[in-house]
């Protein structure tokens, strides 16, 4: 995909307005004046060029964003006409993502209205340059000075009347006041502000030029077009390919159309999109409901593409990546009422298709009741959907009474843990869940280093966090306003699959919510209420009953007409649930003279949370689709651990309470800083027979002729011996196998075993935190605990006479090579970067267990199964401790006089220290 040099300036402009401000009429006037139309259509006549949908013509409103292309001067304009009704604000917001500039239409008789404020807030958030057209100036009583003053007072920005000469001293002074550098230069040197500087002020959103006229009577349209061509700036387009998807629709034949803007390079027809299997089959340049096919689309082109089936609204292609989070959110929830005999499961994919076109629908599927719910912006959307479903699918649907779309969040940070470990699967996820700013939505991050968890697993976890609307535990409503950080995670080289992390991630979110201080949120409106003087008392009483927060007087939304009409203006905010039908009530007691303007403000704590929670009757423990429990493997069988006990079984430590840094100058490489919550846990060692049974059911489960196969343990296990058999062998956890007929005798087996090299590998930190004495010492100083363990094992090696290797993790130390140290009569191994002690021991067992005798001391259940499958023998942490303490019962002096034992310290002192927790 190569770049192309445009021969003319390409600009994508959107036209926005409050409903009935004349937005579509202005679009018709621009197209007609520019020569793109032979005749300007009218909304009231039902022949507007851009309102080509049947419902739009019948209702006289814009429902779907449309596109038209026209030229004026040296500019090629792509005009996007957006809906003006508040119920379709989400459609407008998606269009903003691809605009170079916006035209904001203001009705001169009405001034700045409630939805105008919403649009202004969106334009400010997306940092879009704005040019204004003040419409309906032909109506009696309109005054451009008054409208301009209201714009400045209400929207607090640099609005200037560009109908005045730009070179006049008054205009130059007004322009210079918008920028400090320009003002200093103007005052000191008297230098005029150039056109290039004006364009820069507009691009920086310091200047908002205004033109006045009448779109219906084509007054001021030519001057407005000249201003667009003259003062708007085309953005720089990089040579690399990029595009932003802003809408999905279907044509009359049912073909899926992916609407996008090329933001860099060129998109040729039939081009394959990198990273996907999608191919741009057709490039359609639409103008109204007609289109032309393109061979390629250069940067700045807005078009519809067929063949891009894996992309959704907000997705990026090429260098474009993260989709912008919508600022507007639906506040009402409706249950879809299907006709008798219509299967909801068959209708679900159809509504999924509609949700793809209109993501703001927020489709919800209740598995238990098998009902479909939609979250919408208002009543008008329900009427549009009824007609759309009937026309497209031939099914007549209805909606029940609107309910409030609640949200949930948390009040304080909490840790969520999820573990998924059925047989031959493993994934563990720890999430830090923190409350976010109101209106911030959900954000997902990772704080895990790649030496702890591979990047691909981390990315998979973040994907699983984003792919689902996670329900809260108070009412089952979606969570929001939260920052979720992947703080720790663990995978297994052989047994982890992608689906394991999906389960662990979902369970971690749910687990965190079960432990959290949850808060129920509800949508709130900001309002402007205009009532006659005689109705003020009733209005104040109603607002107080509706839990509103308000003030009386000339608010920022008040207009000059209010004073002349003797209206009282009341402004404030109130819960959406309390004012659903208040507009009808207002018209009744004010005899049609009252006006209520509402604007979605955001989600805030619910004013009657206990009442709502009780009415919902949601039980998080009975929600089988969203479990908070975790799955562990015990004795070769999957077991479910309740959510409130999961922390006692996790392999990774808690992330919230970490021990103070005990590091010193002589720290061993990679010594981990374990958390204060790392307590001694019950030894999870499995017996040899249980592990062999697991191995038989997994590694050899699919072998043919199973009747001739000996049990795994009998084929691979060395002869089990006791201490009294001979010196230098490992203690046994099972009785010796009875020799079968023709089998080797006990002395023969002893000779064969002695001929082999014997290794005892100790998982250092696993043993430290499995022994209560050393774990307590480690919480004070990890170095002391490590040295105490080495002293104990050094004396123990003298008794065993075996090659004793102690393995410590050093995988967190960047660039650390594998390090082997001879310490007295022990071999110490510090693993290399990105290698755990588990991994080192597993590889050692695989390499040596077939020809030598390898015993592994660990209580890590997963590691036990793996090293046992390689033919190694096992000691649990508890068994190792018991074997050491058994020495005292057999006579400490006897073992200390042996030539193999080092004389570095008395054995009795070592044993006493072990018994007393390392304090003596």
């Amino acid at each position: 995909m190569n770049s192309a040099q445009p021969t003319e300036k390409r600009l994508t402009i959107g036209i926005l307005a409050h409903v009935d401000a004349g937005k579509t009429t202005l679009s018709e006037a621009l197209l007609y004046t520019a020569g793109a139309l032979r005749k300007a259509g009218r909304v009231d006549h039902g022949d507007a060029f851009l309102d080509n949908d049947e419902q739009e013509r019948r209702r006289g409103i814009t429902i779907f964003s449309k596109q038209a292309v026209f030229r004026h001067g040296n500019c090629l304009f792509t005009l996007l006409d957006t809906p003006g009704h508040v119920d379709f604000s989400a459609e407008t917001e998606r269009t903003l993502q691809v605009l170079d500039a916006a035209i904001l239409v203001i009705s001169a008789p009405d001034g700045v209205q409630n939805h105008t404020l919403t649009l202004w807030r969106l334009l400010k958030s997306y940092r879009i340059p704005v040019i204004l057209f003040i419409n309906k100036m032909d109506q009696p009583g309109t005054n451009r000075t008054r409208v301009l003053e209201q714009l400045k007072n209400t929207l607090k920005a640099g609005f200037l009347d560009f109908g005045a000469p730009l070179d006049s001293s008054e205009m130059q002074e007004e322009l210079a006041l918008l920028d400090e550098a320009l003002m200093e230069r103007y005052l000191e040197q008297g230098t005029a502000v150039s056109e290039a500087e004006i364009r820069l002020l507009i691009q920086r959103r310091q200047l908002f030029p205004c033109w006045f006229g009448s779109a219906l009577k084509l007054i001021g349209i030519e001057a407005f077009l000249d201003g667009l061509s003259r003062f708007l700036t085309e953005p720089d387009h990089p040579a690399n390919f990029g595009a932003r998807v802003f809408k999905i629709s279907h044509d009359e034949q049912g073909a899926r159309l992916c609407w996008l803007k090329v933001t860099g390079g060129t998109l040729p027809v039939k081009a394959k999109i990198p990273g996907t299997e999608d191919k741009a089959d057709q490039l359609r340049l639409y103008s109204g409901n007609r289109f032309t096919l393109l061979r390629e689309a250069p940067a700045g082109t807005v078009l519809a593409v067929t063949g891009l089936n894996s992309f959704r609204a907000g997705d990026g292609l090429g260098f474009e990546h993260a989709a912008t989070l919508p600022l507007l959110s639906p506040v009402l929830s409706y249950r879809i009422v299907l006709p008798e005999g219509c299967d909801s499961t068959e209708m679900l994919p159809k509504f999924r298709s509609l949700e793809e076109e209109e993501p703001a629908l927020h489709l919800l599927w209740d598995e238990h009741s098998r009902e479909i719910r939609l979250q919408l912006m208002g009543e008008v959307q329900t009427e549009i959907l009824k007609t759309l479903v009937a026309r497209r699918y031939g099914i007549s649907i209805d909606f029940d009474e609107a309910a409030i779309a609640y949200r949930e969040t948390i009040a304080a940070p909490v840790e969520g843990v999820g573990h998924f470990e059925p047989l031959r699967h493993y994934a563990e996820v720890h999430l830090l869940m923190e409350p976010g700013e109101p209106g911030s939505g959900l954000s997902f991050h990772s704080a895990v280093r790649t030496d702890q968890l591979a990047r691909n697993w981390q990315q998979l976890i973040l994907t699983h966090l984003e792919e689902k609307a996670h329900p809260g535990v108070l009412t089952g409503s979606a969570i929001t306003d939260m920052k979720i950080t992947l703080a720790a995670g663990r995978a297994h080289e052989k047994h982890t699959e992608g689906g394991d992390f999906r389960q662990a991630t979902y369970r971690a979110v749910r687990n965190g919510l079960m432990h959290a201080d949850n808060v129920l949120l509800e949508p709130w409106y900001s309002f402007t209420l205009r009532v006659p003087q005689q109705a003020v008392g009733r209005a104040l009483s109603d607002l107080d009953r509706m839990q509103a927060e308000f003030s009386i007087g000339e608010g920022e939304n008040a207009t000059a007409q209010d004073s002349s009409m003797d209206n009282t203006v009341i402004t404030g905010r109130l819960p959406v649930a309390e004012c659903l039908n208040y507009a009808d009530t207002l018209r009744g007691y004010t005899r049609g003279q009252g006006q209520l303007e509402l604007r979605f403000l955001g989600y805030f704590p619910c004013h009657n949370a206990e009442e709502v929670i009780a009415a919902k009757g949601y039980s998080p423990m009975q929600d089988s689709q969203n479990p908070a429990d975790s799955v562990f493997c015990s004795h070769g069988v999957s077991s479910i651990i309740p959510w409130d006990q999961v922390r006692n079984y996790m392999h990774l430590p808690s992330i919230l309470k970490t021990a103070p840094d005990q590091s010193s100058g002589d720290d061993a490489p990679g010594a981990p800083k374990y958390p204060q919550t790392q307590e001694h846990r019950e030894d999870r060692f499995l017996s040899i027979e249980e592990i062999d049974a697991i191995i038989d059911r997994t590694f050899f489960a699919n072998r043919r002729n199973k009747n001739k196969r000996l049990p795994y343990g009998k084929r691979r296990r060395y002869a089990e011996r006791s201490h009294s058999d001979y010196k230098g062998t490992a203690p046994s956890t099972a009785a010796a196998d009875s020799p079968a007929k023709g089998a080797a005798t006990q002395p023969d087996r002893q000779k064969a075993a002695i001929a082999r090299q014997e290794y005892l590998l100790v998982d250092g930190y696993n043993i430290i935190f499995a022994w209560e004495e050393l774990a307590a010492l480690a919480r004070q100083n990890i170095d002391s605990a490590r040295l105490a363990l080495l002293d104990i094992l050094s004396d123990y090696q003298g008794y065993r006479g075996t090659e004793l290797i102690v393995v410590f993790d050093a995988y967190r130390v960047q660039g650390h090579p594998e390090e082997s140290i001879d310490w007295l009569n022990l071999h110490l191994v510090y693993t290399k970067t990105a290698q755990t002690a588990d991994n080192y021991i597993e590889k050692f067992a695989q390499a040596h267990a077939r020809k030598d005798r390898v015993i592994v001391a660990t209580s890590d259940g997963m590691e036990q199964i793996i090293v046992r499958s390689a033919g190694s023998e096992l000691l649990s942490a508890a068994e190792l401790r018991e074997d050491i303490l058994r020495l005292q019962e057999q006579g400490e002096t006897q073992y200390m006089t042996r030539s193999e034992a080092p004389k570095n310290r008395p054995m009795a002192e070592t044993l006493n220290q072990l018994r007393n927790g390392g304090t003596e």
Side-chain angles (χ1 to χ4, degrees), residues 189-369:
Q189 306 174 16
T191 306
V193 179
S194 66
E195 285 194 13
E197 290 169 332
I198 291 176
R199 286 192 288 270
L200 189 59
L201 288 172
I202 296 173
Q203 191 68 22
R204 292 176 176 174
R205 288 180 50 87
Q206 296 173 275
L207 169 62
F208 301 92
C210 302
W211 278 266
F212 295 79
S214 171
L216 184 61
K217 297 183 178 180
L218 301 179
I219 299 173
I221 301 303
E222 186 73 36
F224 185 56
L225 276 173
D226 291 340
L228 295 176
S229 304
R230 183 178 176 186
F231 295 111
L232 290 182
T233 304
E234 180 182 17
D236 295 329
H237 299 297
N240 297 332
F241 171 73
R244 169 70 63 193
V245 179
F246 68 95
K247 187 175 72 168
I248 301 295
S249 68
H250 293 79
D251 64 11
E252 295 180 356
Q253 287 71 40
R256 186 180 191 269
L257 301 179
C258 184
W259 295 79
L260 55 84
K261 178 184 179 181
V262 181
T263 56
T266 299
L267 175 63
V269 69
K270 302 299 181 181
K272 185 177 179 180
I273 306 303
T276 71
E277 296 299 323
D278 292 356
K279 185 172 62 175
D281 292 332
Q282 286 186 344
L283 307 181
R284 300 184 182 183
L285 181 63
Y286 273 87
S287 190
N289 58 0
R290 300 188 297 268
F291 66 88
T292 56
L293 295 177
L294 304 179
R295 297 182 61 86
E296 64 178 14
T301 305
V302 178
L303 71 160
V305 183
T306 64
L308 305 187
N309 298 319
S310 61
F311 290 94
R312 302 292 183 268
D315 287 347
L317 286 71
F319 64 78
E320 296 280 4
H321 293 294
T324 306
L325 182 69
L327 300 178
L328 300 177
S329 177
V331 298
L332 300 178
S333 176
Y334 298 83
R335 182 178 65 88
I336 297 177
V337 180
L338 298 174
E340 186 176 353
C342 184
D343 189 353
S344 60
T345 58
E346 294 181 0
M347 287 299 299
L348 183 60
K350 295 180 173 61
F351 281 102
R352 292 287 186 199
S353 178
L354 293 176
E355 183 186 31
E356 186 180 72
E357 298 181 27
E358 178 53 70
L361 289 182
H362 286 205
L363 185 146
L364 301 174
W365 168 251
D366 191 326
E367 183 67 33
H368 296 289
S369 63

Side-chain angles (χ1 to χ4, degrees), residues 80-100:
L80 299 179
D81 186 18
T82 63
H85 199 284
V86 66
D87 282 11
F88 306 101
S89 300
E91 176 89 0
T92 301
E93 183 177 2
R94 287 195 299 276
T95 306
L96 298 184
Q97 301 181 41
V98 297
L99 296 185
D100 299 326

